[in-house]
Amino acid sequence: MSSTVLSPSAKASPSSPEGERKTFLNADYGWKSWLFTVDHKRIAVLYLISIMVFFLIGGTFALLMRAELLTAKGDLFEAETYNKLFTMHGVVMIFFFLVPSIPAVLGNFLVPIMVGTKDLAFPKINLLSWYIYIVGGAATLFVAITGGIDTGWTFYAPYSSTYANTNVAGTAVAVFITGFSSILTGLNFIVTIHKMRAPGMTWFRMPLFLWAQYATSLIMVLGTPVLAITIVLLGLERVFHIGIFDPALGGDPVLFQHLFWFYSHPAVYIMILPGMGVISEIIACFSKKRMFGYHFIAFSSLAIAIFGFVVWGHHMFVSGQSAYASFVFSFLTMLVAIPSAVKVFNWTATLYKGQVSLETPMLYALGFIGLFTIGGLTGVFLAVMGLDRHVHDTYFVVAHFHYVMVGGMVMAFMGGMHFWWSKMFGRKYPEWIAQFSSVVVFVGFNFTFFPQFLLGYMGMPRRYHQYNAEFEVLNVLSSAGASILGTGFLMTICYFIWSLKWGQVAERNPWGAKGLEWERAPSPPPTFNFEDGERIVVTEDAYAYTHEEPHGGSLQEARK
Amino acid sequence: MSDHAHSTVGLAHHFDDLEQQKESGTLGMWAFLITEVLFFGGLFGAYAVYRSSYPDAFMRASAQLDVNLGGINTIVLIVSSLTMALAVYAAQKGSKGGIIAGLVGTWVFGAAFLVVKYFEYKHKWEHHLIPGPNFLFPDAHGVGQHGTPEQLYFALYFAMTGMHAFHMIIGLVILVWMMKKARRGDFTVHNYALVENFGLYWHFVDIVWIFLFPLLYLIGAHSGTPGAPH
Amino acid sequence: MSSTHTVPLKIYFGVFIALCVLTGVTVWTAKHDYGALNTPVALAIAGLKASLVILFFMHVKYSSKLTQLFAFAGFFWLVLLLVFTLQDFMTRGMLPTYVFKH
C-alpha cells in the first residue's frame, strides 16, 4: 500500500516540522472558531460528530428491537414501546443519519476541493444548514425522551393524523425543520458544481463523486419541499382536524401516501447515490485504472435521480391505489434497475485487469457491490405487483431496504471515511484492525439481514414485537448478527478516535490516488484548501491512472 | 481575504470575481424558487385530487368567496410586482432614489394585499367557514352542516392562501431591511444582486397568486349560485 | 456585470397592462360556462400571465440557458407530481380490482 506518488504538484511541504503547517484543524482554536466557522471542512467535521451521535442513538434502538425479537414471545417490551422503538429507529436513521451522512460529511468536505475552489458557494448557508439540522435533531431527541412516537417513520394517515396518542406533532416539526437543512446543502452543492469549478474542470473531467453529489442535490431540492408541505398538511389535520386525510370528512388517506412518497421514494436515492459516488472513487483508486464507462456512470446518476421521481407508487400497491397506476409505477420501477445495473457492471469492469489491492476502503467497496446488488435485485422482486402482495409489510421488505441502506449506503460511508480519513485529519487509521473490522461488519450485516429475507418470504410481518415460534431460529440468527454488526461499528469508531492522536501521520497522498484532493491539497488541507496563492488549473481527466506505470506522473506532464 | 486590485467591493473571499458571485447568487435563488414551486406544488396536487373528487362542492364553496375582492387583490399584487421590477431597473441604472421608491411601492401594495386578505379571512371566520369542529356549511335550505366536502375546499383555501400570505409577510420584512440598505447606499451598479434576487422571490409569490385566483375564486362564477346567505 | 441586460421600461409597463387585461379576461371568461373547458381556459390564461411574469419581470427571456433550464425544471417537476398523482385518482375503478366510492 501507500505508494508514494511523484505528482507534479507535490512539491510543497507534505511533512514540514510536526504541527507547524497551518491546516483547517489548527487554523484557529476554541469552541467559537468551530461553532461560527464558515469553512466547509469544519462544518463537515461538525456534521460528522453530530451524525455519529444520531447513528449511535438509532443503532441503540435497533439493538433493543433485536433483543426483543430474540424470543418469539413479547417478553422484553410492551407492544407500544416496541412500536416507538422501530419508529424512532427509522426516523433517526433516515432523517438524521442516512440522508445527511455522505452529502453533509464527505460531500461538504470534498465538493469544494474536488472542483478546485476555496469553499462552497454559500458558506454561511452551509453553516446555517448544520444549525437547522441540530435544531431538528434536538426536537427529535426531545420527542424521544418525552414519550416517543409510534406511527412508523412513514407517518401514515389517518393513524398519525387522527388516532395516534404519541407525539406526532413534535416529530413532524422536527422532520420539517431538518428538511430545510437538506435543501440548503443540496442548493449549495448545485450552485458550487455549476459555478465554482476551477478552470479546466469541465463536466466530464469531474470525479464521479461530484456527479453523484449533483444528482443527489437535485433530489434534495426537488423532493424535500413536497415532504415539508405534506407534513404541514398532516399537522393541520392533526391539530385542527380539517379533514384533508380523514375519510369520514371526505378526505383520502392515500393522498397522504402519494405526497409522502413523492419525496420519500426519491429520498431513498438520496440515501444511495452519494454512496455510489464514493464507491466509484474507491474502485478507481484501488484498481489503479481509469473508470470503465465514465460517461455511463455519470449519466446513470442523473437517470436514477430523474427516474426515481416517477416510481413512488410501488410503495402503494396494496393501499387502494388504482390498478392502472400500480401497473405504471411497477413498470417504471423496473426501469430504474437499468441505470443501477449500469453502475454495477462498470465498477466490475473497472476491476477487470486492474492492479487491485485490498485495503479497507476497497473491502468496503467490494462489499457494497455485492450487497447493493442483492438489495437492488430484491427491489425488482418487490416491483412485481404479484410478489409484492405476498411479501408487502413483511421482513422481506425490511431485509431489502436494509441491504440497500446499510449494505449500500453505510458500507459506502464506512469505505469513504476510511478512504478520506487521512485527508480529513492528517492521521492514518490502523490498517490491519480496520481490515479485520470491515470483515466483522460484513459478516455481521449478512447474519443480521439475510435471515430476514427468509422470514419475510415465510410470511413474518414487520413491526410486531412477538411472532410465531417457527420463526425463532432465524430471528436468533438475525439478533446474533446484529450484535456482531454493532461490535464491528464500535471497533471502527474506537480506532478512528484512537488514530486522531496516535495514528501515523499521513502524507499528502497515501493511496497514490488521482484527484485534486489527493494531488493538490495537503493532508489535512489548509483553510482555503490549497497552498497559498496556488491557482488550480485542471489539465487532465478524472482517474488518469496510467496503467503500466502507476507511480509515474510523466504522462500528464507530457499532456500539458 | 485577499483583495485584489480590481473592483472587489462586496466580493466574498471564496469567489474569483463579482461576475461569478452574482451568477452564483442568481442560480442559488432559482434553485430556491424550484423548492418553492414544489412546496406549493403539494398543495396544488391536493387541490387537483379533491377538486376532481368533489367538483360540485368546490363550486358551491368557491361561490362563498368575493370575486371582486380577489380581483382587486390580483391587480394590487400585479402593481407591486411592477414596482419591484422598477426597483431592479433603478438598481441597474444606479438610481438610489429609484430603488427606494420601487421598494416602498412594493411594500405598500404588498401590505394592501394583506389588509384585504385579513378582511376576507375575518368574513370566513364570522361565517363558520374555518375548517375544524366549528365548520358549518349551509345546505340547500341554508341550514349549516358539519363535515361536508366543502370543508376540504376551505382547508385548501386556507392552506394555500395562508401559505401565500406567509410568504408575503416574509417578503415585507425583507423589504424593510432592504430599504435600510438602499438608504445607506449599499446597492451600486456593480452590486445589486440582493435587489434582483429578492425581485425573483417577489415575482414568484405573484405567480402563485396568479394561479390561486382562478382556481379558488372563479370556479363557481359561471354557475350563478349566489352562495349562501351572507 | 457588463452582461446585464436592462429591460426597457416600456416592456415593463406593457407587461403590466397585459397582466391587468388578462385578469379582466379571466374573470369575464369565468362567468361563462364552457363545460369541460372551464378549468383549461382558466389555467391557460393563468399560464400565460405567469409566463409573462417569468419571461419579462424575472428576466428569464434574457437569462442564460442554465437559468432558463432551472426555471423550467421546477414547473416540469410540478407536472410530474400532478400527473402521477392524478393517474391514480382518475383511474380508480377503471380496472375491476378496486371500486372507489365517494
Side-chain angles (χ1 to χ4, degrees):
Chain A
M1 58 165 289
S2 69
S3 46
T4 32
V5 163
L6 307 170
S7 108
S9 58
K11 52 199 191 312
S13 71
S15 51
S16 52
E18 188 57 19
E20 284 307 298
R21 190 174 61 80
K22 279 287 182 199
T23 72
F24 82 98
L25 290 169
N26 65 13
D28 211 346
Y29 292 98
W31 59 271
K32 273 189 189 166
S33 75
W34 282 89
L35 292 185
F36 297 114
T37 184
V38 288
D39 181 349
H40 65 101
K41 297 178 291 302
R42 287 196 162 201
I43 294 169
V45 174
L46 292 176
Y47 259 119
L48 174 62
I49 297 167
S50 8
I51 70 158
M52 283 326 290
V53 170
F54 283 101
F55 180 68
L56 290 175
I57 293 171
T60 308
F61 288 133
L63 288 177
L64 292 173
M65 280 152 67
R66 282 321 315 173
E68 165 65 69
L69 294 173
L70 199 54
T71 57
K73 273 186 266 172
D75 41 15
L76 191 55
F77 299 113
E78 304 278 321
E80 289 77 14
T81 315
Y82 184 81
N83 293 347
K84 290 176 182 172
L85 281 176
F86 72 67
T87 305
M88 296 306 299
H89 169 70
V91 169
V92 167
M93 283 301 203
I94 286 171
F95 295 110
F96 296 94
F97 175 70
L98 283 169
V99 167
S101 60
I102 291 182
V105 178
L106 292 171
N108 251 330
F109 192 91
L110 292 167
V111 166
I113 306 183
M114 282 182 165
V115 302
T117 184
K118 290 177 190 165
D119 208 322
L120 288 171
F122 310 114
K124 285 180 194 156
I125 287 180
N126 195 23
L127 181 65
L128 177 66
S129 92
W130 181 72
Y131 275 103
I132 293 174
Y133 169 84
I134 288 298
V135 171
T140 306
L141 291 185
F142 176 78
V143 169
I145 293 166
T146 56
I149 169 177
D150 68 345
T151 59
W153 79 276
T154 49
F155 312 118
Y156 271 8
Y159 180 70
S160 60
S161 54
T162 309
Y163 303 107
N165 292 318
T166 47
N167 198 346
V168 178
T171 317
V173 169
V175 171
F176 179 83
I177 294 171
T178 312
F180 286 97
S181 123
S182 186
I183 288 174
L184 294 179
T185 302
L187 196 151
N188 230 330
F189 286 178
I190 288 177
V191 175
T192 305
I193 292 173
H194 268 292
K195 291 292 172 191
M196 310 278 287
R197 279 173 289 126
M201 178 58 89
T202 59
W203 280 87
F204 293 111
R205 279 178 178 167
M206 292 200 317
L208 290 165
F209 181 76
L210 290 181
W211 279 95
Q213 289 297 338
Y214 184 79
T216 310
S217 305
L218 287 182
I219 304 176
M220 287 171 159
V221 165
L222 290 163
T224 319
V226 179
L227 176 72
I229 195 67
T230 312
I231 289 176
V232 169
L233 289 175
L234 179 68
L236 289 174
E237 171 75 43
R238 186 164 173 87
V239 177
F240 299 109
H241 206 68
I242 59 176
I244 202 151
F245 298 130
D246 185 353
L249 296 173
D252 192 337
V254 177
L255 176 65
F256 175 85
Q257 296 189 25
H258 276 295
L259 294 176
F260 178 81
W261 287 114
F262 182 84
Y263 164 75
S264 294
H265 190 74
V268 170
Y269 299 109
I270 296 179
M271 295 180 249
I272 191 66
L273 274 171
M276 293 170 159
V278 169
I279 298 307
S280 298
E281 299 298 312
I282 295 177
I283 295 280
C285 171
F286 291 93
S287 307
K288 292 287 176 289
K289 246 183 93 184
R290 279 172 188 273
M291 210 61 206
F292 186 87
Y294 170 93
H295 290 77
F296 282 95
I297 299 187
F299 281 119
S300 67
S301 289
L302 291 183
I304 290 174
I306 292 167
F307 274 114
F309 269 99
V310 290
V311 301
W312 76 79
H314 64 222
H315 295 270
M316 300 165 58
F317 288 158
V318 299
S319 70
Q321 171 179 255
S322 81
Y324 167 80
S326 293
F327 168 75
V328 172
F329 281 127
S330 170
F331 176 72
L332 290 170
T333 303
M334 290 184 207
L335 289 187
V336 179
I338 297 170
S340 310
V342 162
K343 283 180 188 289
V344 171
F345 290 136
N346 281 302
W347 291 324
T348 323
T350 307
L351 293 173
Y352 179 67
K353 287 191 176 171
Q355 298 178 341
V356 177
S357 57
L358 294 176
E359 281 93 5
T360 316
M362 189 60 161
L363 291 178
Y364 277 112
L366 295 176
F368 173 99
I369 295 178
L371 299 178
F372 171 74
T373 303
I374 295 175
L377 281 176
T378 51
V380 181
F381 298 5
L382 290 169
V384 179
M385 284 184 276
L387 185 69
D388 187 70
R389 288 255 158 172
H390 174 54
V391 294
H392 189 90
D393 263 348
T394 68
Y395 269 85
F396 192 89
V397 177
V398 176
H400 152 68
F401 69 74
H402 279 89
Y403 262 79
V404 180
M405 304 284 94
V406 185
M409 189 67 160
V410 178
M411 294 296 161
F413 180 67
M414 297 284 276
M417 284 312 298
H418 284 87
F419 189 46
W420 283 292
W421 184 259
S422 57
K423 182 56 63 184
M424 293 178 85
F425 297 104
R427 299 268 179 175
K428 291 181 185 171
Y429 60 85
E431 187 62 42
W432 275 104
I433 306 175
Q435 283 171 323
F436 174 69
S437 57
S438 76
V439 174
V440 172
V441 167
F442 184 81
V443 170
F445 172 82
N446 282 295
F447 264 109
T448 311
F449 292 108
F450 199 82
Q452 296 184 3
F453 277 126
L454 306 177
L455 285 168
Y457 199 78
M458 288 155 65
M460 178 173 168
R462 64 193 283 205
R463 295 180 167 172
Y464 285 88
H465 77 310
Q466 55 190 2
Y467 51 85
N468 294 349
E470 76 233 43
F471 298 133
E472 201 162 43
V473 174
L474 287 169
N475 269 298
V476 169
L477 263 182
S478 180
S479 291
S483 64
I484 300 174
L485 182 61
T487 311
F489 285 139
L490 283 181
M491 282 166 63
T492 310
I493 293 173
C494 288
Y495 67 70
F496 267 152
I497 293 174
W498 176 89
S499 77
L500 286 178
K501 190 149 173 61
W502 294 284
Q504 192 191 340
V505 174
E507 62 269 37
R508 173 185 291 245
N509 190 357
W511 308 118
K514 287 287 172 183
L516 292 178
E517 83 275 26
W518 295 112
E519 296 175 288
R520 307 293 288 271
S523 307
T527 301
F528 293 145
N529 296 341
F530 306 103
E531 261 104 22
D532 278 347
E534 185 177 8
R535 176 110 181 132
I536 297 297
V537 179
V538 181
T539 54
E540 61 181 21
D541 290 346
Y543 317 115
Y545 293 102
T546 48
H547 191 41
E548 296 77 19
E549 205 190 348
H551 299 291
S554 50
L555 186 66
Q556 55 266 44
E557 277 292 333
R559 242 192 232 177
K560 287 183 196 169
Chain B
M1 303 291 165
S2 54
D3 271 340
H4 297 296
H6 48 276
S7 112
T8 55
V9 184
L11 178 65
H13 69 271
H14 56 293
F15 289 111
D16 293 337
D17 49 41
L18 281 169
E19 178 90 39
Q20 187 192 30
Q21 176 168 328
K22 180 164 181 283
E23 284 180 2
S24 300
T26 306
L27 192 66
M29 194 64 209
W30 275 103
F32 173 72
L33 291 184
I34 290 179
T35 72
E36 290 280 24
V37 170
L38 283 148
F39 186 75
F40 281 98
L43 292 171
F44 281 100
Y47 174 91
V49 166
Y50 290 133
R51 168 124 185 246
S52 62
S53 299
Y54 306 107
D56 298 335
F58 267 52
M59 275 179 12
R60 283 194 299 275
S62 168
Q64 296 281 327
L65 303 193
D66 189 327
V67 175
N68 292 330
L69 286 182
I72 290 169
N73 249 356
T74 307
I75 301 294
V76 166
L77 210 48
I78 291 172
V79 175
S80 88
S81 244
L82 174 70
T83 53
M84 191 61 230
L86 294 178
V88 176
Y89 179 84
Q92 286 170 336
K93 298 281 179 205
S95 152
K96 184 176 158 183
I99 299 176
I100 296 177
L103 295 180
V104 170
T106 309
W107 196 94
V108 168
F109 283 99
F113 177 93
L114 287 174
V115 170
V116 173
K117 204 79 225 149
Y118 165 79
F119 284 108
E120 288 191 81
Y121 278 5
K122 188 157 167 274
H123 174 265
K124 309 285 175 308
W125 175 265
E126 286 161 356
H127 288 79
H128 293 280
L129 294 175
I130 310 281
N134 294 322
F135 181 85
L136 284 176
F137 195 81
D139 62 10
H141 311 290
V143 184
Q145 301 289 335
H146 284 286
T148 59
E150 284 85 356
Q151 179 170 241
L152 291 173
Y153 170 88
F154 280 100
L156 288 165
Y157 167 80
F158 280 105
M160 293 167 113
T161 59
M163 207 49 85
H164 177 260
F166 176 68
H167 278 78
M168 295 204 52
I169 292 168
I170 290 180
L172 293 187
V173 173
I174 298 176
L175 271 171
V176 171
W177 172 63
M178 281 172 45
M179 286 176 209
K180 277 190 182 158
K181 280 178 82 76
R183 262 188 29 198
R184 248 190 353 237
D186 285 4
F187 303 123
T188 65
V189 188
H190 298 292
N191 187 15
Y192 63 90
L194 181 64
V195 185
E196 194 169 10
N197 289 336
F198 177 80
L200 293 178
Y201 172 83
W202 194 257
H203 296 312
F204 167 78
V205 175
D206 188 18
I207 289 171
V208 173
W209 184 259
I210 284 174
F211 283 97
L212 289 183
F213 174 58
L215 289 177
L216 292 174
Y217 285 79
L218 297 180
I219 55 179
H222 63 268
S223 63
T225 0
H230 283 229
Chain C
M1 313 302 298
S2 50
S3 64
T4 302
H5 188 282
T6 315
V7 183
L9 277 181
K10 65 176 180 195
I11 288 192
Y12 283 136
F13 283 103
V15 168
F16 169 72
I17 291 165
L19 289 172
C20 292
V21 169
L22 285 171
T23 304
V25 170
T26 194
V27 173
W28 182 79
T29 54
K31 297 203 165 142
H32 298 74
D33 195 351
Y34 311 105
L37 288 176
N38 282 331
T39 309
V41 167
L43 284 178
I45 297 172
L48 184 59
K49 287 168 76 182
S51 308
L52 287 175
V53 173
I54 292 171
L55 289 174
F56 297 102
F57 281 1
M58 297 170 93
H59 303 163
V60 166
K61 185 176 190 313
Y62 315 100
S63 300
S64 65
K65 284 261 175 352
L66 183 62
T67 307
Q68 294 176 346
L69 179 69
F70 271 49
F72 171 76
F75 292 98
F76 178 74
W77 250 262
L78 175 61
V79 169
L80 286 187
L81 169 66
L82 296 177
V83 166
F84 279 84
T85 304
L86 285 175
Q87 65 146 355
D88 169 21
F89 290 93
M90 294 287 134
T91 58
R92 293 276 177 92
M94 256 176 54
L95 292 168
T97 47
Y98 178 79
V99 181
F100 181 63
K101 298 192 199 81
H102 288 161

